[in-house]
């Protein structure tokens, strides 16, 4: 019998009570390795009620003591790094080094949040008027929720709960039901680090749980990462219910290669950015835009032998595996369907990974690497986020045409340019209407003390994830105007006071 995975409520793992489950697969073998409970609305609401009670006392703990819990949590993450990465790889399919990177990027946000005492300081004005002082305070929202995706089951939950908890909130985390084990392990580590019971609740579930979060009156804010259609749905329903909301959606990230670029550097960057984690990253580069025919020919010539050498396999095959399987059979079928549309619509399939099979893992969800050339903007493989190991080359005649491709696309998560010319790079960074920009850096994910967020249909809401924006999102500003009547300082009364 597959293992049953439940929820994390009030400081302990508990079984689900709904009787509904979702299969958790081993993507390398295609086997069901566990069943995760799917919570009911009643279970979710009960967890929220308990979180609301715990939050009051947690908010009263001073920020420095809250930060000490995160300090201990970071130490525990380092202690259990390999254990977390192995569990992550087994359910997601990404390679072991990539899984450790997933944990590490979340750990770095937790490290940043240790600075909560400084980040939560308000402003003060003395003498705003005669005897009047004015000051502001940043106060927690109360109970907040995070709805996180399958592709980063360690990093993105930590992006949500670390700043929320550092600010004095309680967090309801609803992770992906496809790889639920690591979020539960993280919650256990937070408890071990000293977090009071109920401040972090992990509820596994599907749309029923999500809708319960969006409609629950106690939950004050919702953070989401996933596909754009779901991001739009969650944003509209949350805001209609009066909640603060930030939702991050899909992407189609362009990398522009100028004629003066170091072609070997650009090709190496594209291999990692396009095929790493089997392309299941919202910051993956899925579109290469070489400027000029000669540049395009040189780029494709450099890419082909590199792609042919890629090693695809399970995470257990060693650290030299370049990428593993995709997360589900449905994901594999969708990727291969989009590849077929690319062929039908006239793109040139230079590297064909459709028939890829791995001996001994024939039932796994492996997809071989694909390279399309001469892709045009009207093709489905250009317009759609494929979320697989498929790289499309779109040839541009000029820098302006290349810039226009990225600017006209509906998504605006990340982009990059490879060039030796500082003026071109500066112009690109200033003009591009995309949230995260790399200059000779293929995947420009900001470090924890900056903020992460796209533009256009890649993001809904006013504030980004992690960095200073997270502390703004998870707090409300209260401004106090104070005036104290004078008189006491005028002198003491030494006679016994009497009634008159």
């Amino acid at each position: 019998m597959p293992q049953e995975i439940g929820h994390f409520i009030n400081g302990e793992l508990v079984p689900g009570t709904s009787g509904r489950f979702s299969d958790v697969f081993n993507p390398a073998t295609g086997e069901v390795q566990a069943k995760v409970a799917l919570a009911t609305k009643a279970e979710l609401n009960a967890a929220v009620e308990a979180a609301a009670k715990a939050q009051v006392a947690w908010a009263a703990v001073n920020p420095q003591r809250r930060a000490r819990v995160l300090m201990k949590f970071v130490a525990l993450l380092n202690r259990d790094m390999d254990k977390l990465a192995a569990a992550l790889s087994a359910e997601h399919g990404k390679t072991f080094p990539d899984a450790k990177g997933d944990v590490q990027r979340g750990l770095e946000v937790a490290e940043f949040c240790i600075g909560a005492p400084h980040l939560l300081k308000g402003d003060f004005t003395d003498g705003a008027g005669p005897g009047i002082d004015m000051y502001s305070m940043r106060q927690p929202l109360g109970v907040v929720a995070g709805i996180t995706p399958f592709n980063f089951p360690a990093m993105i939950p930590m992006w949500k709960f670390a700043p929320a908890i550092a600010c004095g909130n309680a967090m309801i985390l609803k992770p992906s039901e496809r790889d639920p084990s690591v979020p539960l392990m993280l919650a256990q580590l937070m408890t071990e680090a000293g977090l009071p019971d109920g401040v972090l609740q992990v509820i596994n579930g599907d749309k029923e749980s999500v809708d319960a979060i969006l409609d629950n009156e106690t939950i004050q804010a919702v953070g989401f990462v996933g596909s754009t259609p779901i991001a739009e749905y969650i944003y509209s329903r949350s805001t209609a219910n009066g909640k603060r909301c930030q939702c991050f959606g899909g992407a189609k990230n362009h990398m522009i290669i100028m004629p003066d670029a170091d072609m070997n550097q650009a090709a190496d960057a594209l291999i990692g950015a396009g095929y790493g984690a089997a392309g299941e990253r919202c910051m993956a580069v899925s579109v290469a835009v070489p400027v000029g025919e000669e540049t395009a020919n040189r780029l494709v010539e450099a890419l082909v032998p590199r792609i042919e050498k890629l090693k695809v396999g399970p995470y257990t095959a060693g650290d030299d595996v370049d990428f593993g399987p995709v997360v589900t059979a449905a994901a594999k079928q969708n990727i291969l369907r989009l590849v077929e549309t690319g062929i039908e619509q006239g793109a040139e399939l230079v590297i064909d990974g459709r028939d890829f099979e791995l001996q001994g893992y024939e039932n796994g969800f492996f997809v071989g690497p694909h390279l399309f050339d001469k892709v045009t903007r009207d093709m489905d493989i250009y317009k759609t986020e494929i979320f697989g190991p498929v790289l499309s080359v779109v040839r541009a005649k000029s820098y302006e045409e290349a810039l226009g491709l990225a600017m006209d696309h509906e998504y605006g998560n990340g982009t990059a340019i490879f060039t030796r010319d500082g003026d071109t790079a500066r112009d690109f960074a200033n003009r591009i209407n995309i949230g995260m920009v790399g200059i000779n850096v293929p995947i420009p994910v900001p470090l924890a003390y900056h903020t992460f967020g796209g533009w256009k249909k890649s993001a809904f809401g006013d504030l980004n994830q992690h960095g200073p924006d997270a502390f703004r999102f998870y707090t409300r500003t209260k401004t106090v105007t104070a005036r104290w009547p004078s008189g006491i300082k005028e002198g003491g009364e030494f006679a016994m006071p009497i009634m008159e």
Side-chain angles (χ1 to χ4, degrees), residues 151-234:
N151 59 327
F152 286 96
M155 180 182 80
I156 297 179
M158 285 189 269
W159 283 11
K160 299 301 183 189
F161 74 66
I165 287 170
C167 290
N169 300 287
M171 164 66 79
I172 304 294
L173 177 65
K174 206 301 286 183
S176 171
E177 65 274 23
R178 297 177 192 173
D179 42 15
S181 291
V182 169
L184 293 170
M185 294 166 72
L186 295 175
Q188 289 174 285
L189 291 182
M190 283 293 285
T191 296
E192 186 178 347
L195 187 70
D197 294 347
V199 176
L200 176 58
Q201 314 271 49
V202 182
I203 302 295
N204 285 304
D206 54 5
K207 188 176 184 296
E208 183 176 343
S209 302
V210 170
D211 287 346
I213 287 170
L214 305 184
D215 295 340
N216 185 287
E217 292 182 358
T218 301
I219 293 174
Q220 299 296 301
V222 177
F224 168 81
V225 178
S227 69
T228 286
I230 305 302
E232 289 184 292
Y233 169 76
I234 289 175

Side-chain angles (χ1 to χ4, degrees), residues 178 326-336 365:
R178 297 177 192 173
V326 295
V327 70
T328 61
K332 177 178 178 177
Q333 290 165 7
N334 186 57
I335 294 162
L336 296 178
F365 311 138

Side-chain angles (χ1 to χ4, degrees), residues 21-79:
F21 294 89
S22 180
D23 290 338
V24 179
F25 292 93
N26 180 331
T29 65
E31 297 171 338
V32 175
Q33 59 180 328
K35 289 183 175 292
V36 61
L38 302 176
T40 62
K41 180 178 180 179
E43 285 178 292
L44 185 282
N45 289 342
V48 173
E49 187 178 345
K53 291 176 182 176
Q55 188 270 334
V56 176
W58 178 243
V61 174
N62 73 57
Q64 193 166 3
R65 292 184 183 276
R66 296 200 298 258
R68 286 174 184 164
V69 172
L70 289 171
M71 290 174 69
K72 178 65 173 175
F73 176 63
V74 168
L76 296 173
L77 287 173
N78 281 306
R79 182 196 72 186

Side-chain angles (χ1 to χ4, degrees), residues 151 226-229 248-254 279 281-287 381-388 409-415 434 436 452 454-459:
N151 59 327
S227 69
T228 286
F248 297 89
K252 198 70 177 178
N253 303 317
H254 296 62
R281 295 171 174 161
C282 67
M283 287 295 284
V285 173
S286 55
V287 182
I381 56 170
Y382 176 72
K383 294 186 288 185
T384 305
E385 183 179 31
I386 299 174
F387 230 55
H409 205 286
E410 66 175 338
Y411 294 127
N413 214 38
T415 189
I434 289 172
M436 291 170 282
F452 178 107
W455 289 11
K456 298 185 281 188
K457 285 202 171 183
S458 291

